[in-house]
């Protein structure tokens, strides 16, 4: 597994001596990068910009993973820099050699971290959900047909209770943007139940009006992986 | 192209690649088309057409697909083209979009049989009672016809978006890389591939790094390199283990503390990696620099060249516009003495490794007429400004040269400027200053 460590510092001895001051370079006014940018206001607007980018990235039907990862990592850096310096834990001793990024994460806002973590975890669930079972499980990808990230899912999860404060519009405003194609897709159509098969295959659009709130919740739970897929309830439950 | 026609998005060139002799040049575009150019042989009769490239063949490689399960459209854009070494009269190339790789065979037909006994000239069956004697059909010359046919389709190998393909020096296998995995294929087998790199974490919430490019070593069929979004290179040996998650060598330059910013990681992300023809070096491109690495030294690159350092103070606005995520390619010349990469404003840069001189040139209709000499350009960053200098603030960031290619042996370069292809020949070295 690739380490997610930070790059080696040019002067590792320097780092040990100076301790915190190297890790919190953004607070050092004599640092050229810092002196060039007005601190708090810039960080805050950069933070907002990054969150916007993250949302935009997730709303793509198939997010560019590289873009997503780079924005998330940058967001973590910016967010960590907005924490007061005293909140940073002391630099750990070399034998454990954790990355600075880890210590930043530990001190960062738990809510945002948890949301970002959970939205990335959704990438996991969706791939598993869609995975076509293959005869040779040990072999590589052939036979595995899928992957990709239904963006709406991640977005919805990010906008959970913990991070409601990040957004201007309430949760209600979100639901206007939901892509209902997930609910319409053939995956959710029960095998029987006396439903009329439509003339075209699959897209059960005629069933949508019959999906009530309970079924919607059930489907959402399956999608976020908190509930295993079982035979869905029939209409008019 | 007529000047009044608006360039369509589908015509944007997305990849450029010379074949191994340089006789053919292939381009792929966003519309899924491949156009192959062929170099005309030099002849005394037409001295002005010495070795110019003309269109040889055009075909539709990939079509847009719709994945009904995920409600996703799969783009037909050609991400990469790689030529196979020529083994017979036919030419072969691999072309790939985000998900599917295809092997195409290009053949020429310049003769056709005539004098069939049972069919007439138009192919209609003859009335047998009119046939009184037998003749042997003969091959007669005809106008050259280039035929392209798909020979293999390598599908369902990738969950994420394919960013690279690379043909092995063994000419039997090739690899394809997406954001998180690299697969090894046999050119004759389409229903399975072998996964050789997998950096997908057990929990996607731990994902902090993706694969950005990969390439086989030009001579050692067991070695390949892949680059990451964190700016590192990993050289892997397929003999060491079946799953090459443990690299043989890790090439990484320590972060420069004086240049640190919120965007350090983004600008360190490697967008392209190319082995030198000799196989001794690697060339990488990140947002602001190109670097030459010696395979024997992992600690740092042996050479670093600034492509457009004047952008360093503008990273914030480049982040805002997403330009900071642009992926530029890089190229070696045939002798590994000059390296080239694209930039903004339709500029491209060349660095002579021996003389340490560099030049900025522009690919545009206005500044280059056929057979005219390219004029070196300069970007000024304030201070004294010469007459033809461009100021940083007037650079056009929509005109990006992401894809460039260098002829394997001669000083001929192909530059893709959005939907236009420029081919420049010779006279390159004299412009270095």
């Amino acid at each position: 597994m690739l380490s997610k460590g930070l790059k080696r510092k040019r002067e590792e001895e320097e780092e040990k001596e100076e301790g915190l001051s190297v890790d919190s370079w953004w607070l050092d006014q004599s640092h050229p990068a810092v002196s060039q940018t007005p601190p708090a206001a810039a960080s805050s607007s950069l933070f907002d910009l990054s969150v916007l980018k993250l949302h935009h990235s997730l709303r793509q039907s198939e997010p560019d993973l590289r873009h997503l990862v780079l924005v998330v990592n940058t967001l973590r850096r910016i967010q960590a820099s907005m924490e007061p310096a005293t909140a940073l834990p002391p630099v750990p001793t070399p034998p454990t050699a954790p990355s600075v990024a880890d210590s930043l994460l530990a001190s960062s806002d738990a809510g945002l971290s948890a949301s970002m973590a959970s939205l990335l975890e959704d990438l996991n669930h969706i791939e598993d959900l869609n995975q076509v079972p293959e005869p040779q499980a040990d072999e590589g990808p052939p036979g595995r047909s899928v992957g990709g990230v239904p963006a709406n899912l991640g977005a919805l999860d990010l906008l959970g209770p913990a991070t409601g404060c990040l957004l201007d519009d309430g949760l209600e405003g979100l639901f206007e943007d939901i892509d209902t194609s997930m609910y319409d897709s053939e995956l959710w159509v029960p095998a029987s139940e006396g439903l009329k098969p439509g003339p075209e295959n699959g897209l059960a659009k005629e069933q949508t009006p019959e999906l009530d709130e309970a079924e919607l919740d059930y489907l959402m739970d399956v999608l976020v992986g908190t509930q295993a897929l079982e035979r869905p309830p029939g209409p008019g439950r | 192209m007529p000047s009044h026609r608006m360039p369509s998005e589908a015509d944007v060139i997305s990849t450029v690649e010379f074949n191994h002799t340089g006789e053919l040049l292939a381009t792929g575009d966003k519309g899924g088309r491949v156009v192959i150019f062929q170099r005309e042989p030099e002849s005394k009769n037409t001295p002005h057409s010495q070795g110019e490239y003309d269109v040889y063949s055009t075909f539709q490689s990939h079509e847009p697909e719709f994945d009904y399960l995920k409600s996703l459209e799969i783009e037909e854009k050609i991400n990469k083209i790689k030529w196979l070494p020529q083994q017979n009269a036919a030419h072969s190339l691999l072309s790939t979009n985000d998900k599917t790789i295809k092997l195409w065979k290009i053949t020429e037909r310049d003769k056709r049989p005539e004098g069939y006994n049972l069919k007439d000239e138009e192919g209609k069956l003859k009335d047998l009672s009119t046939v009184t004697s037998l003749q042997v059909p003969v091959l007669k010359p005809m106008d050259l016809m280039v035929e392209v046919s798909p020979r293999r389709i390598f599908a369902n190998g990738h969950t994420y978006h394919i960013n690279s393909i690379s043909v092995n020096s063994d000419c039997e296998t090739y690899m394809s890389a997406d954001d998180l995995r690299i697969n090894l294929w046999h050119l004759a087998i389409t229903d399975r591939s072998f996964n050789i790199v997998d950096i997908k974490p057990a929990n996607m919430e731990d994902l902090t790094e993706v694969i950005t490019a990969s390439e086989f070593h030009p001579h050692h069929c067991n070695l390949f390199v892949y680059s990451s979004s964190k700016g590192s290179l990993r050289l892997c040996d397929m003999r060491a283990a079946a799953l090459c998650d443990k690299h043989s060598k890790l090439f990484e330059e320590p972060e420069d503390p004086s240049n640190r910013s919120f965007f350090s990681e983004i600008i360190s992300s490697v967008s392209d990696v190319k082995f030198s023809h000799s196989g001794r070096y690697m060339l990488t491109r990140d947002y602001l620099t190109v670097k030459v690495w010696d395979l024997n030294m992992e600690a740092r690159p042996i050479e670093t060249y600034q492509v457009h350092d004047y952008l360093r103070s503008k990273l914030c606005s480049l982040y805002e516009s997403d330009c900071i995520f642009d992926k530029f390619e890089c190229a070696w010349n045939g002798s590994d003495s000059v390296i080239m990469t694209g930039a903004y404003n339709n500029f491209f840069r060349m660095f002579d490794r021996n003389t340490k001189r560099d030049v900025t040139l522009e690919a545009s209709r206005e500044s280059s007429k056929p057979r005219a000499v390219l004029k070196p350009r300069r970007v000024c960053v304030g201070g004294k400004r010469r007459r033809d200098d461009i100021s940083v603030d007037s650079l056009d960031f929509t005109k990006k040269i992401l894809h460039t290619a260098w002829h394997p042996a001669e000083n001929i370069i192909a530059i893709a400027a959005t939907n236009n292809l420029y081919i420049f020949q010779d006279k390159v070295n004299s412009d270095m200053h």
Side-chain angles (χ1 to χ4, degrees):
Chain A
M1 194 77 73
L2 281 182
S3 75
K4 52 178 176 176
L6 213 58
K7 294 196 197 348
R8 284 175 285 126
K9 303 282 187 307
R10 192 164 270 182
E11 311 277 353
E12 290 194 328
E13 292 74 32
E14 225 177 72
E15 180 194 322
K16 286 180 206 158
E17 284 170 35
E18 293 176 358
L20 269 177
S21 59
V22 173
D23 291 333
S24 50
W25 55 269
W26 53 85
L27 296 169
D28 176 11
Q29 282 302 320
S30 63
H31 190 288
V34 176
S35 55
Q36 278 164 19
T37 54
S43 293
S44 163
S45 63
L46 258 180
F47 180 84
D48 293 340
L49 175 62
S50 300
V51 170
L52 265 169
K53 282 192 181 297
L54 189 58
H55 279 242
H56 184 257
S57 189
L58 290 167
R59 286 195 198 288
Q60 307 301 312
S61 48
E62 242 187 324
D64 177 348
L65 218 55
R66 171 183 166 260
H67 187 269
L68 189 63
V69 158
L70 289 173
V71 169
V72 166
N73 290 351
T74 304
L75 191 51
R76 282 180 176 146
R77 280 194 189 209
I78 296 168
Q79 196 220 359
S81 77
M82 289 160 72
E83 296 289 317
T86 50
L88 283 174
V91 176
T93 54
T96 51
S99 65
V100 172
D102 281 350
S103 61
L104 292 181
L105 266 177
S107 66
S108 65
D109 176 52
L112 176 62
S113 231
S115 318
M116 283 197 288
S118 60
L119 73 85
L120 285 172
E121 192 175 343
D122 289 332
L123 300 177
N124 219 16
H125 288 302
I126 297 310
E127 184 181 349
D128 292 340
L129 254 182
N130 290 342
Q131 200 162 321
V132 174
E134 55 192 30
Q136 310 102 337
D138 295 325
E139 260 189 347
R144 279 161 88 165
S145 55
V146 282
V149 183
N152 328 295
L153 214 47
L156 283 171
D157 199 66
L158 174 65
L159 303 164
T163 54
C165 58
L166 286 178
L167 305 156
D168 291 331
D169 37 9
L171 281 174
E172 285 73 25
L174 283 179
F175 282 88
E176 294 162 17
D177 289 341
I178 286 183
D179 175 14
T180 56
S181 61
M182 269 305 239
Y183 311 134
D184 294 340
S185 90
E186 198 175 5
L187 185 64
W188 311 120
V189 174
S192 60
E193 305 277 299
L195 293 164
K196 280 187 292 222
E200 315 105 321
N201 69 347
L203 299 185
K205 284 208 158 51
E206 56 266 32
Q207 292 185 49
T208 318
E210 310 205 63
L211 282 177
D212 61 19
E213 214 175 332
E215 285 169 347
L216 216 63
D217 285 344
Y218 167 79
L219 288 170
M220 283 309 305
D221 286 340
V222 172
L223 289 170
V224 299
T226 56
Q227 180 161 359
L229 179 62
E230 44 191 75
R231 207 174 109 124
R237 167 175 83 151
Chain B
M1 191 175 294
S3 54
H4 60 269
R5 179 185 140 195
M6 291 300 291
S8 122
E9 185 73 6
D11 295 332
V12 173
I13 299 170
S14 48
T15 187
V16 186
E17 189 80 6
F18 281 100
N19 77 336
H20 295 272
T21 60
E23 183 211 350
L24 299 176
L25 173 67
T27 62
D29 67 20
K30 271 194 168 183
R33 275 177 318 231
V34 171
V35 180
I36 303 177
F37 298 84
Q38 184 188 43
R39 193 175 185 199
E40 294 305 317
E42 300 180 24
S43 80
K44 282 173 276 196
N45 298 336
T46 53
H48 289 300
S49 302
Q50 283 163 11
E52 285 193 355
Y53 285 82
D54 293 328
V55 177
Y56 178 67
S57 174
T58 303
F59 62 95
Q60 188 73 32
S61 169
H62 287 70
E63 299 273 6
E65 286 172 46
F66 195 77
D67 183 335
Y68 287 94
L69 186 65
K70 292 185 285 173
S71 277
L72 292 175
E73 187 170 285
I74 300 169
E75 269 188 21
E76 67 276 30
K77 171 169 76 88
I78 309 296
N79 292 338
K80 282 287 184 307
I81 290 173
K82 285 284 145 83
W83 291 92
L84 267 56
Q86 195 178 5
Q87 287 172 330
N88 49 42
H91 294 278
S92 299
L93 60 78
L94 289 169
S95 65
T96 187
N97 68 349
D98 283 338
K99 298 284 184 177
T100 303
I101 307 131
K102 295 187 184 180
L103 174 66
W104 295 90
K105 192 161 170 190
I106 302 128
T107 48
E108 284 185 3
R109 192 196 292 267
D110 62 355
K111 297 183 188 45
R112 66 154 185 245
E114 276 181 19
Y116 281 103
N117 291 293
L118 300 177
K119 292 185 290 187
D120 65 17
E121 292 276 313
E122 284 135 38
K124 286 192 318 193
L125 284 175
K126 283 185 190 169
D127 179 357
L128 283 182
S129 59
T130 65
V131 178
T132 53
S133 62
L134 285 178
Q135 58 184 350
V136 178
V138 291
L139 289 174
K140 292 257 173 80
M142 58 179 261
D143 288 340
L144 179 67
M145 211 163 75
V146 179
E147 297 171 336
V148 182
S149 60
R151 279 300 208 241
R152 304 268 190 275
I153 297 181
F154 305 90
N156 300 322
H158 287 278
T159 299
Y160 303 100
H161 290 176
I162 297 173
N163 53 57
S164 314
I165 48 175
S166 178
V167 183
N168 201 337
S169 52
D170 67 8
C171 302
E172 288 185 351
T173 58
Y174 76 95
M175 69 158 144
S176 55
D178 67 31
D179 294 312
L180 299 180
R181 298 190 179 104
I182 303 181
N183 294 336
L184 183 71
W185 303 81
H186 192 286
L187 282 164
I189 299 170
T190 58
D191 64 354
R192 79 190 76 124
S193 66
F194 193 62
N195 178 243
I196 54 176
V197 174
D198 188 339
I199 65 166
K200 180 171 182 280
N203 288 317
M204 281 295 265
E205 64 194 59
D206 294 334
L207 180 68
T208 56
E209 193 169 6
V210 298
I211 297 169
T212 52
S214 75
E215 196 182 50
F216 267 120
H217 192 278
H219 310 309
H220 303 300
C221 57
N222 55 301
L223 287 182
F224 65 93
V225 67
Y226 70 91
S227 59
S228 84
S229 55
K230 283 198 170 167
S232 62
L233 303 170
R234 282 169 174 78
L235 188 71
C236 301
D237 187 336
M238 294 196 294
R239 293 173 306 191
L243 188 61
C244 301
D245 277 353
K246 287 194 172 59
H247 47 265
S248 297
K249 292 191 181 185
L250 171 64
F251 299 79
E252 201 172 39
E253 184 172 25
E255 203 176 339
D256 178 2
S258 64
N259 265 335
R260 232 164 146 182
S261 74
F262 291 130
F263 310 110
S264 292
E265 181 178 322
I266 300 179
I267 64 170
S268 75
S269 174
V270 172
S271 51
D272 194 16
V273 61
K274 295 264 170 49
F275 279 104
S276 63
H277 292 90
S278 64
R280 195 176 148 195
Y281 304 104
M282 296 182 294
L283 180 66
T284 59
R285 174 69 153 100
D286 51 62
Y287 192 61
L288 297 178
T289 71
V290 279
K291 295 178 170 147
V292 178
W293 303 77
D294 187 318
L295 286 189
N296 297 316
M297 187 159 83
E298 298 165 70
R300 68 185 62 79
I302 56 169
E303 294 155 33
T304 300
Y305 301 94
Q306 302 296 330
V307 180
H308 37 205
D309 201 54
Y310 44 78
L311 296 184
R312 199 177 286 274
S313 56
K314 312 228 174 264
L315 293 180
C316 198
S317 61
L318 292 164
Y319 177 66
E320 197 173 356
S321 64
D322 269 350
C323 282
I324 207 176
F325 299 101
D326 286 336
K327 292 184 289 185
F328 293 92
E329 292 171 8
C330 54
W332 297 91
N333 76 336
S335 59
D336 299 334
S337 59
V338 183
I339 55 190
M340 167 173 72
T341 189
Y344 293 107
N345 209 75
N346 278 352
F347 288 165
F348 58 100
R349 302 263 284 137
M350 286 191 202
F351 304 91
D352 188 318
R353 297 178 61 214
N354 299 323
T355 65
K356 298 303 179 199
R357 298 196 314 186
D358 63 84
V359 69
T360 304
L361 300 167
E362 183 177 359
S364 76
R365 225 185 286 269
E366 289 80 33
S367 63
S368 53
K369 294 183 174 53
R371 281 171 284 285
V373 172
L374 278 181
K375 197 177 61 172
R377 308 308 308 266
R378 220 173 79 111
V379 177
C380 72
V381 284
K384 202 160 175 213
R385 197 193 138 153
R386 289 188 222 159
R387 192 160 52 105
D388 289 325
D389 285 2
I390 314 275
S391 84
V392 184
D393 299 309
S394 54
L395 288 174
D396 188 344
F397 288 93
T398 63
K399 294 186 179 165
K400 16 193 142 197
I401 293 186
L402 304 173
H403 312 289
T404 61
W406 205 309
H407 189 286
E410 298 184 36
N411 276 341
I412 303 172
I413 56 177
I415 310 285
T418 317
N419 55 324
N420 291 316
L421 179 73
Y422 292 85
I423 300 175
F424 299 114
Q425 302 194 29
D426 249 346
K427 306 231 189 246
V428 161
N429 289 323
S430 62
D431 285 329
M432 299 279 186
H433 65 78

